[in-house]
């Protein structure tokens, strides 16, 4: 009896030691928690799966595209950027990849990403010309600036976003100031959301930078403005995405964004199993839009959305994980 008990104890100790080794191997992990709803959801889901499935000590750190990728290149932190819009910082991204500092491991949103300037559909229904930038620029009076009623307003993204640099460069390239349009800094994502929501609910005119998939564009029927030119990747890299470039030319966003999950090279080298999960973790536009709609309807944060998704879609996310890891995640829900 004692002999068998001893064997059982040794066996259990071996399992415990293996679990400890896995936890120690993963250790502390930092995940970028960016301000978009989809990025917030992905970060929260990754944190839950890493902590409960892989035994990591994962924590979220605030950071948007430009500061997040810059920090990953210069400091090796954060370890993971779940949703990196790399097209908005092409030179920075290429530098990080070429120098072996960062690695793109997956396309987390598949066909979902789409950025640009947007106007409410009810404006386009009244005047089809407002679906184009040329048409918008002829009517500053329809987009009254809160700071200058005699001018129109173009609402930019929040400070720190790569898209904010792009919108500012396109503002200069298209000589919007000469058409009596002011470029408005909303101060934050909340400020931008508030400006769009307020205008839409009052059926007022507004043109603003935004992107999909987002709950806001799921709630409000908006039209992406045709900027009148094709996307020029050379000009995009040379000047459209470069805040210091003084002679930007008209350009446009790509039809679909290049969204990548990025990891710091040291993390990639030391966490093969976690990286394998990140490589498989991908959501279609339909799937992510359902998540964002649920977040809007329930005024939910990323953590709540992650738990909701994991509970309701086990047939999806279990395919991203080894069976034993998936069971640990299920047990934690």
């Amino acid at each position: 009896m004692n002999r068998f008990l001893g064997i059982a104890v040794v066996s259990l100790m071996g399992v415990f030691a293996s679990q400890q080794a896995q936890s120690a191997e993963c250790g502390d992990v930092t995940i970028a928690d960016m301000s978009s709803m989809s990025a917030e959801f992905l970060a929260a889901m990754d944190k839950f799966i890493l902590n409960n499935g892989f035994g990591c000590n994962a924590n979220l750190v605030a950071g948007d595209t430009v500061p997040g990728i810059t920090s990953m290149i210069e400091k090796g932190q954060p370890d993971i950027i779940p949703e990196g819009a790399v097209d908005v910082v092409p030179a920075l991204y290429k530098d990080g990849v070429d120098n072996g500092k960062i690695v793109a491991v997956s396309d987390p949103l598949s066909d979902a990403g789409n950025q640009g300037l947007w106007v409410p559909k009810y404006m386009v229904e009244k005047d089809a010309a407002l679906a184009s930038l040329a048409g918008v620029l002829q009517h500053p009076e329809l987009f009254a600036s809160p700071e200058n009623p005699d001018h129109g307003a173009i609402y930019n993204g929040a400070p720190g976003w790569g898209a904010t640099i792009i919108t500012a460069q396109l503002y200069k390239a298209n000589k919007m100031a000469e058409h009596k349009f002011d470029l408005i800094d909303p101060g934050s994502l909340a400020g931008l959301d508030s400006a769009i929501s307020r205008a839409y609910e009052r059926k007022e005119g507004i043109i603003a930078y935004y992107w999909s998939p987002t709950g806001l564009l799921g709630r409000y029927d908006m039209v992406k403005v045709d900027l009148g030119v094709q996307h020029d990747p050379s000009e995009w890299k040379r000047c459209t995405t470069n805040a210091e470039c003084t002679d930007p030319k008209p350009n446009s966003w790509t039809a679909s964004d290049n969204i990548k999950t990025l990891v710091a090279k040291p993390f990639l080298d030391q966490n093969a199993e976690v990286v394998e999960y990140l490589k498989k973790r991908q959501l279609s536009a339909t799937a992510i839009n359902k998540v964002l709609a649920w977040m809007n309807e329930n005024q939910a944060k990323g953590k709540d959305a992650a738990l909701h998704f994991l509970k309701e879609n086990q047939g999806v996310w279990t395919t991203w994980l080894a069976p034993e890891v998936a069971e640990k995640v299920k047990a934690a829900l």
Side-chain angles (χ1 to χ4, degrees), residues 201-223:
E201 296 296 337
R202 296 175 180 177
K203 291 295 184 284
E204 296 174 345
I206 189 169
I207 178 170
Y209 165 80
Y210 220 79
W211 75 101
S212 69
T214 51
L216 186 137
L217 290 190
R219 185 164 72 251
Y220 297 134
D221 201 351
M222 305 282 282
V223 175

Side-chain angles (χ1 to χ4, degrees), residues 134 136-140 151-152 174-181:
V136 167
L137 294 179
Q138 294 303 311
H139 294 284
H151 283 211
N174 289 282
K175 298 180 172 54
M176 297 184 192
E178 295 181 13
H179 289 83
K180 295 186 177 180
F181 273 85

Side-chain angles (χ1 to χ4, degrees), residues 175-195:
K175 298 180 172 54
M176 297 184 192
E178 295 181 13
H179 289 83
K180 295 186 177 180
F181 273 85
D182 299 332
L183 186 62
I184 304 298
D185 176 3
S188 65
L189 173 58
L192 179 59
D193 285 355
S194 178

Side-chain angles (χ1 to χ4, degrees), residues 261-275:
T261 290
L262 307 174
V263 297
K265 186 60 164 58
F267 182 84
L268 178 102
D269 293 339
Q270 298 169 16
N271 296 276
E273 291 183 354
V274 173
V275 171

Side-chain angles (χ1 to χ4, degrees), residues 128-142:
L130 297 179
S132 69
L133 183 61
V136 167
L137 294 179
Q138 294 303 311
H139 294 284
E141 75 280 2
L142 298 179

Side-chain angles (χ1 to χ4, degrees), residues 217-292:
L217 290 190
R219 185 164 72 251
Y220 297 134
D221 201 351
M222 305 282 282
V223 175
K224 185 177 177 181
V225 174
D226 182 352
L227 300 186
V229 295
Q230 296 295 315
H231 175 71
D232 182 343
S234 297
E235 175 64 14
W236 188 263
K237 181 179 178 181
R238 181 192 76 85
C239 197
T240 311
T241 58
N242 181 4
E244 297 180 359
C245 181
T246 60
D247 62 334
K249 306 294 188 297
N251 208 341
S252 67
W253 276 273
T254 57
S256 182
D257 292 337
N258 190 15
I259 305 295
K260 299 292 185 183
T261 290
L262 307 174
V263 297
K265 186 60 164 58
F267 182 84
L268 178 102
D269 293 339
Q270 298 169 16
N271 296 276
E273 291 183 354
V274 173
V275 171
E276 189 62 26
Y277 149 68
L278 294 173
K279 287 180 178 179
K280 295 178 180 178
R281 192 255 290 118
Q282 187 178 79
L283 292 166
S284 67
T286 300
I288 193 65
N289 281 332
K290 285 183 179 179
V291 173
L292 300 184

Side-chain angles (χ1 to χ4, degrees), residues 6-326:
I7 292 173
V9 169
V10 170
S11 177
L12 286 171
M13 288 177 66
V15 171
F16 180 68
S18 175
Q19 291 174 338
Q20 279 192 318
Q22 182 185 37
S23 178
E25 182 181 351
C26 182
D28 295 333
V29 181
T30 51
I31 303 173
D33 185 13
M34 296 185 176
S35 54
S36 74
M37 290 175 68
S38 55
E40 182 185 343
F41 157 68
L42 285 174
M45 181 172 67
D46 287 345
K47 177 184 175 182
F48 190 91
I49 289 177
L50 264 61
N51 285 346
N52 293 287
F54 294 96
C56 304
N57 177 33
N59 289 286
L60 305 182
V61 294
D64 278 306
T65 303
V66 177
I69 295 178
T70 300
S71 179
M72 182 177 275
I73 292 171
E74 295 179 353
K75 302 175 183 178
Q77 293 290 323
D79 295 301
I80 302 170
I81 295 177
E83 183 184 312
V86 298
D87 280 345
V88 303
V89 284
L92 181 64
Y93 172 63
K94 185 176 185 301
D95 179 67
V97 171
D98 290 348
N99 288 291
K101 300 292 185 179
I102 59 176
V103 179
V105 297
S106 70
D107 304 301
L109 301 183
S110 182
D111 57 348
N114 195 354
Q115 298 185 76
L117 294 175
W118 303 76
V119 297
K121 187 176 180 181
Y122 54 76
M123 297 190 74
V124 176
E125 288 175 340
K126 288 183 179 179
D127 184 353
L130 297 179
S132 69
L133 183 61
V136 167
L137 294 179
Q138 294 303 311
H139 294 284
E141 75 280 2
L142 298 179
F143 304 89
S145 171
E147 301 173 0
N148 186 353
D150 294 332
H151 283 211
I154 304 279
Y155 282 82
N156 205 343
W161 293 358
T164 302
I165 295 172
I166 292 168
T167 306
Q169 291 295 81
L170 293 176
Y171 175 83
K172 293 182 225 174
N174 289 282
K175 298 180 172 54
M176 297 184 192
E178 295 181 13
H179 289 83
K180 295 186 177 180
F181 273 85
D182 299 332
L183 186 62
I184 304 298
D185 176 3
S188 65
L189 173 58
L192 179 59
D193 285 355
S194 178
I196 295 173
S197 297
R198 182 171 58 250
Y200 202 98
E201 296 296 337
R202 296 175 180 177
K203 291 295 184 284
E204 296 174 345
I206 189 169
I207 178 170
Y209 165 80
Y210 220 79
W211 75 101
S212 69
T214 51
L216 186 137
L217 290 190
R219 185 164 72 251
Y220 297 134
D221 201 351
M222 305 282 282
V223 175
K224 185 177 177 181
V225 174
D226 182 352
L227 300 186
V229 295
Q230 296 295 315
H231 175 71
D232 182 343
S234 297
E235 175 64 14
W236 188 263
K237 181 179 178 181
R238 181 192 76 85
C239 197
T240 311
T241 58
N242 181 4
E244 297 180 359
C245 181
T246 60
D247 62 334
K249 306 294 188 297
N251 208 341
S252 67
W253 276 273
T254 57
S256 182
D257 292 337
N258 190 15
I259 305 295
K260 299 292 185 183
T261 290
L262 307 174
V263 297
K265 186 60 164 58
F267 182 84
L268 178 102
D269 293 339
Q270 298 169 16
N271 296 276
E273 291 183 354
V274 173
V275 171
E276 189 62 26
Y277 149 68
L278 294 173
K279 287 180 178 179
K280 295 178 180 178
R281 192 255 290 118
Q282 187 178 79
L283 292 166
S284 67
T286 300
I288 193 65
N289 281 332
K290 285 183 179 179
V291 173
L292 300 184
W294 184 88
M295 290 177 73
N296 263 329
E297 291 167 4
N298 295 276
Q299 297 184 329
K301 296 296 184 181
K303 178 181 178 181
D304 303 315
L307 290 173
H308 172 75
F309 176 83
L310 292 171
K311 288 176 181 178
E312 299 296 322
N313 297 274
Q314 293 191 11
V316 175
W317 62 263
T318 52
T319 64
W320 305 336
L321 301 167
E324 63 274 15
V325 175

